[in-house]
Amino acid sequence: MSQWFVDRVAIVTGGASGIGLAVASKLLSLGVQLAVVDRDGSALQGAFGGVDKVLKIEADVSDRIQVERYVSTCLDRFGRIDMFHNNAGLLGPRAPLLDFTDEDYHSLFDVNVLGSLLGLQAVAKAMKASSGGSIVNTASAVGLRSVADHGLYGATKATVLRITQQAAAELGQFNIRVNAVAPGSVDTPALRSSLKGTSEDGGEVDRRVSRQLRKRPLGLPITADDVADLVLWLLGPASSKITGSINVIDGGVLT
Ligand code: NAD
């Protein structure tokens, strides 16, 4: 199965950190021709600066022009796109629904919903023009149930789940599969910054992260690598009959 990945072409958005970085690193180790997109240019350089064969594209996924540019840059370099991990997203800010501002709304929906939709549109058009492909959207378990102070974030991820199923229904005829992963809490820079709140005490942040990660029947933390293994399975040939699926990876919280 790992031979299947050699020389295929993938784009990972939000690939400079956390879950996207874990996916990009695994794809690279399997011999995939890889484009990594992130709006944080220095994090991109920090993660892949020494790896010439990785196409590093600094772009904001919520801007249509920049999305079209990252897709065309990838096509110019590699000629096609076989796999797309549509992953860039924001967790914060945390607040009860009654306290969210218009600014909070736009920052979350622009990146998590519009960014995801623009990427899906541009990449699926390129896949449709070749022989198809596989797309994995990063949603969240919070898109499936309410979690205190995460109402707006949950609404963005519920929308990503709905878009995933709609896209799967529309694009199957073009041999394009579209699936979603819905992780529970994963220890990434985004989770740490969201749990940090106003605390400047590193030990306190560690304790909050570890409390958050223990809240699950399996009692085991989910790592970015765990999510990456699931994403690779969905991108690759082992899941060739699966589309429109929502894959929760949360250690059993949603049971
Ligand atoms: P992270 O902050 O570690 O990584 C996200 C990356 O996305 C960063 O490098 C950031 O620069 C980039 N990014 C953010 N906005 C962008 C934009 N507009 N354009 C381009 N790049 C942008 O976060 P993470 O925890 O790895 O999150 C990745 C995805 O996983 C997100 O969609 C998040 O909602 C989702 N998720 C995370 C968790 C968790 O607990 N960490 C749980 C469920 C879902």
Side-chain angles (χ1 to χ4, degrees), residues 137-154:
N137 295 324
T138 302
S140 168
V142 183
L144 293 163
R145 64 172 174 140
S146 54
V147 170
D149 295 340
H150 271 310
L152 202 57
Y153 173 72

Side-chain angles (χ1 to χ4, degrees), residues 191-206:
L191 182 76
R192 283 183 171 268
S193 116
S194 139
L195 289 175
K196 182 167 177 260
T198 52
S199 174
E200 290 306 323
D201 173 356
E204 172 55 19
V205 176
D206 281 344

